[in-house]
Amino acid sequence: MSYLQRVKSFMEGVGMLLAILILMLSDESGASWVVFILAISLILKGIRSLVYYFMMARFMVGGLTALFAGAFLIDFGILSISLADEARIYIFLYLAGWNAFSGLISLLRAWESYRNKGRSWILNTLYGIVNIGILICCFIFRDSPTTLATLYCAGLGYSGILRIINAFRRTEIVYIQ
Amino acid sequence: MQIDFHYYATYCAAYLAGFSHEECMEICSSAQFTDCCSVTLLSGIGAPLSAATTQLQLEIMDAKADILSLQNITRIWASFHFLPRDLSADVPGGSGLYKNKYRLICGPDSDLLAATVELAKDKSLQAAGIAMHVLADTWAHRYFAGTPSMVINNTDYDFFELIPEGDSYTERRVTFRHNPSAGDDLEKSIYTNTVYQFSENSVMCLGHGRAGHLPDYSFIRYRYLPAWAGYEAVVKDNPSEYYNAFCQMIYAMRYLRGDLPAFEKGVYDTETAAPWEKEIRWILTKRQPDASADWKALGELLSGQEIPAFDTAPFTQDYRKADKADRDETVLGKFIIAALAQKSMVTNRIWKSGNLLAGYSVDYMQEGFRGLRDFQKLVEISLMNRQK
C-alpha cells in the first residue's frame, strides 16, 4: 500500500469507530442514525458509480449501465433518508442478509479447509458461528431498534479495527535480482 | 488450461525437448501443482503462505474487497495464470485507473514471458514447471486480466461458438448458466460462468470467470465481444493457439536444458513437434471436456514409460516429514522458492511500470529488506548464489 492508501485506511477505521461512539450515545435515535449512515453510503455509492462511468466504464461494452446505476443509487439514497423513521426494517434486512451470506461462506470455507487438512478451519468455523449467531439475534430482537443498532455497531467496529490494522501491516513484496 | 495440458501435454513437450522421463515427471508435476498450491494447502503444512500460486473458489469468494486483498489476488493470478502482455500498452483515452487495468491483459510473447523463462534458467526442474504453466496459460487466457475487473473481463450475450463444418464454420450462440455443480453441455453449447455482478472489483470478474471454462478447452473456437475492445469482436481459435503453446514450450525447455543460447519471443519449435503434428492436432481438436487420456497415451508412446496420475501427496508428504533445515531440498521446497521468485519478479515489473494493482515492490539491493517476511528465504538464496 502507498502512504496515501495507508492514511486512507487508517482514517476510515477511525471514522467507523467514531460513528459507533455517536450511535451508542444517541440512545433511542441510534437506529435512525444507522439508516442515515446506510442512506449516505448509498448516495456515495451512486456518486462513485457516476465517477466510475466517466473514468472507466464508458470504454466498456455495456458500460452505460454504470451511468444509470449511479443515478438510481443516488435517488434511492435520498429516498432512504426520508424513511429514516422506519429504521428498524432496513437495519434488520441489512444485518440479516449480510450475516447469512458471510456465515454460509465461512462455514463452507471451514469445511474446505478441513478437507484439505488446513489449519484455518477452526477460525473459519468460529467466524461462521459468530455470523449465524448475529443472524439469530437479528430475528430474536427484530422489534428492538436499539439492539439492532448495537449489532450494527459490532460489525462496524470489526471493520474499523481491521482497517486500522491493515494500515500498519507489512505488505511490500521484496525483489532481488 | 487444465490438467490435460498442464500435466500430460507438458510431459510430452518436455520429453520432445530432450528431458528424461524422470525429469519430465518433475516438470509436469510442478506445472500442474501450480493449479493446486493454495493458501489452504500451504497453511496445512506450515509452508510460507506468500508462495500460493492459486486460490480455491471459496478463498476467492471469501476475499474481502479491500485493497490488500485485491493486490493479493492480482499478484497470484497475474504472476501465474494471466501474465500481462504489455505493461506500457498505449490506451487511447481513459483514466490512469483504466489504463492500469488494461495493461494487465494477458497475452503470449511478452517481455514478461521472456523474463519468466529466463528466471527459470539454471534453477530447479520445479522452476521450469512453473514457467511452463505460465507460458501455456498466456495462450489460453489471452484477452483476460488476472485482476478483478468488470471493464476488462466482463462478457455479454454476444458470444458464439464456431463449429467446424466442411471448410467453414457455423456459429452457435453460447448459453451461460451459473450452476457450478452442473457440468458443461458441449453438444448444446451450454457452459457455466460466474454471475454478473455490477461492481468493478467483484471477484466474479476475475480472469475468464465471465467466459466460463471456454478458454481452457483446447478444441473450442469462439467469437465474442470483450469488454475492453470498443465493440470489436474477437475470435479465439484455441486449437491453433494451443499448438503454438505446445511448440513454444518445447523451445523454452530446450533453452532451459542448455541446448539454445537464448530465449526469444515469438519462436516456436515446430520442427521438433513436426513428426507428431498430426497426432497433436487430432487431440487438440477432439471435442471433449478433458483430453488427459489422449495426451497420456501420446506421452507414453513417446517415452515408452508409464505416466502415473497426478497426485499432490508426494509434494506435501516429503515437506511435512522433512526437518525444517532440509525443507528447501524437498520437491515442494524447491517449488516454493521458484514460486516466490516468480511472484516477486512479476510484482516488481508491474510496480516499476507505475501500476499499483499488484502492490508495492521493494528492491532489496537498493532499500534492504523491507516487506513480507516470507521473501527472506529468496534473499538468502540469492545472496548465497552471489557468494558462490
Side-chain angles (χ1 to χ4, degrees), chain A residues 88-89 92 136-145 147-148 151:
Chain A
R88 186 182 54 76
I89 189 70
F92 171 72
I136 293 167
C137 284
C138 285
F139 276 99
I140 295 172
F141 299 106
R142 62 184 179 276
D143 292 326
S144 165
T147 314
L148 288 176
L151 290 173

Side-chain angles (χ1 to χ4, degrees), chain B residues 131-160:
Chain B
M132 290 311 104
H133 185 108
V134 176
L135 183 156
D137 271 356
T138 60
W139 291 94
H141 298 166
R142 184 197 273 240
Y143 306 131
F144 294 98
T147 189
S149 174
M150 190 163 72
V151 291
I152 301 299
N153 295 327
N154 195 29
T155 60
D156 72 351
Y157 59 89
D158 196 70
F159 210 120
F160 296 88

Side-chain angles (χ1 to χ4, degrees), chain A residues 1-2 5 49 52 55-57 59-62 65-66 69 105 108-109 112-113 116-119 162 166 169-177, chain B residues 40 43-44 56 58-59 61-62 66-68 75 94-95 98 150-151 198 200 226-227 231 344 348 360-364 370-373 382 386:
Chain A
M1 283 206 287
S2 67
Q5 285 165 338
S49 187
Y52 172 59
M55 291 182 82
M56 297 175 93
F59 301 102
M60 170 186 136
V61 171
T65 320
I105 292 292
L108 284 171
R109 272 214 66 189
E112 186 182 69
S113 178
N116 284 291
K117 298 187 177 69
R119 288 174 187 167
L162 267 190
N166 277 349
R169 264 170 69 176
R170 282 174 183 232
T171 58
E172 294 85 357
I173 301 295
V174 180
Y175 172 70
I176 183 163
Q177 249 179 340
Chain B
T40 305
S43 70
L56 303 177
L58 282 167
E59 283 177 11
M61 286 280 283
D62 200 27
D66 67 329
I67 191 147
L68 291 182
R75 275 198 294 274
S95 64
Y98 180 74
M150 190 163 72
V151 291
F198 187 76
E200 169 58 17
Y231 287 91
S344 163
N348 180 261
Y360 255 61
S361 172
V362 171
D363 193 329
Y364 176 80
R370 185 164 64 81
L372 292 173
R373 287 197 184 91
S382 189
R386 274 164 201 248

Side-chain angles (χ1 to χ4, degrees), chain B residues 16 240 242-252 254 266-278 280-281:
Chain B
L16 288 173
S240 301
Y242 276 50
Y243 189 70
N244 283 343
F246 186 81
C247 294
Q248 196 173 37
M249 280 204 297
I250 299 175
Y251 171 68
R254 284 184 60 205
V267 181
Y268 320 122
D269 193 346
T270 49
E271 208 172 298
T272 306
W276 303 95
E277 183 177 353
K278 203 175 144 196
I280 293 166
R281 288 200 188 273

